[in-house]
Amino acid sequence: MSTTATLKEENIKLQLTRIFDAPRELVFKAWTDQKQFTQWFGAAACDGGTLQSVKVDARTGGRYRLQVRKADGEYFTSTGIYREVKPPERLVFTWQFEKDGSSDDYEEVEPPEMLVTVEFKARGKQTELTLTHEKFASIESRNGHNEGWIRCLESLGKFVEK
């Protein structure tokens, strides 16, 4: 897996590429089928926490919502809208956090809307997946997401390659 992180003007982004020993259609469906998504994403994204709920309506204009309860009891929710769903080639969706619960050090500020593009390229019986996550508010946010996405892609690999 290769990771590239770049800073271009005000667009802080990361890009991850991974090859899966699974056909492109299978890897794409793992991202767009709510039951499958829950199985692999939940195992990786929570980092000691638990995936509380997943709603995936993977169609252009459809929405998703993912809620994680961290090990310390705090809840985080990711939401977004699918901007492009082109089976089995490409997904583009917004990525934004809601923070649930209360915390003394949390300011009630609208978090920035980021953009995630996932491209699926057939490589014989394998799939090359490239994930680009952009429009981060800070390098620290990008770095944290980088770790999370690496865990997610590792979990996805275990799921689709079994």
Side-chain angles (χ1 to χ4, degrees):
M1 179 185 307
S2 64
T3 304
T4 306
T6 58
L7 176 59
K8 288 186 179 178
E9 297 170 13
E10 294 184 14
N11 185 14
I12 303 170
K13 68 179 179 178
L14 70 88
Q15 188 168 70
L16 302 170
T17 299
R18 178 166 173 158
I19 304 288
F20 296 98
D21 286 323
R24 173 168 78 157
E25 292 77 9
L26 181 70
V27 179
F28 185 87
K29 189 170 182 180
W31 277 85
T32 57
D33 178 83
Q34 180 171 304
K35 185 177 178 182
Q36 290 185 38
F37 185 87
T38 301
Q39 291 177 43
W40 67 266
F41 188 85
C46 301
D47 193 27
T50 57
L51 188 62
Q52 298 295 297
S53 68
V54 174
K55 293 180 183 168
V56 173
D57 181 11
R59 61 182 173 80
T60 301
R63 295 183 173 272
Y64 73 88
R65 187 171 192 270
L66 315 170
Q67 188 172 63
V68 172
R69 182 174 184 263
K70 296 188 74 162
D72 66 4
E74 194 170 18
Y75 285 86
F76 285 91
T77 305
S78 303
T79 63
I81 299 171
Y82 291 95
R83 297 269 173 92
E84 182 181 345
V85 179
K86 186 177 180 184
E89 299 171 20
R90 183 174 161 96
L91 289 173
V92 180
F93 51 92
T94 61
W95 181 272
Q96 190 167 22
F97 281 109
E98 297 172 5
K99 185 167 180 182
D100 305 314
S102 62
S103 173
D104 293 337
D105 61 351
Y106 178 67
E107 297 177 26
E108 294 296 329
V109 176
E110 180 92 6
E113 182 179 84
M114 296 171 274
L115 191 67
V116 177
T117 302
V118 185
E119 297 174 293
F120 306 81
K121 294 180 183 165
R123 299 284 186 242
K125 294 181 181 181
Q126 296 180 320
T127 302
E128 179 182 295
L129 182 146
T130 300
L131 182 144
T132 305
H133 192 149
E134 56 190 316
K135 300 185 179 181
F136 287 100
S138 69
I139 290 173
E140 294 78 17
S141 178
R142 182 211 49 212
N143 293 346
H145 281 82
N146 184 52
E147 292 173 19
W149 282 123
I150 287 172
R151 283 193 311 270
C152 285
L153 294 181
E154 287 172 359
S155 181
L156 175 61
K158 290 175 187 173
F159 181 77
V160 299
E161 293 173 357
K162 63 181 176 177

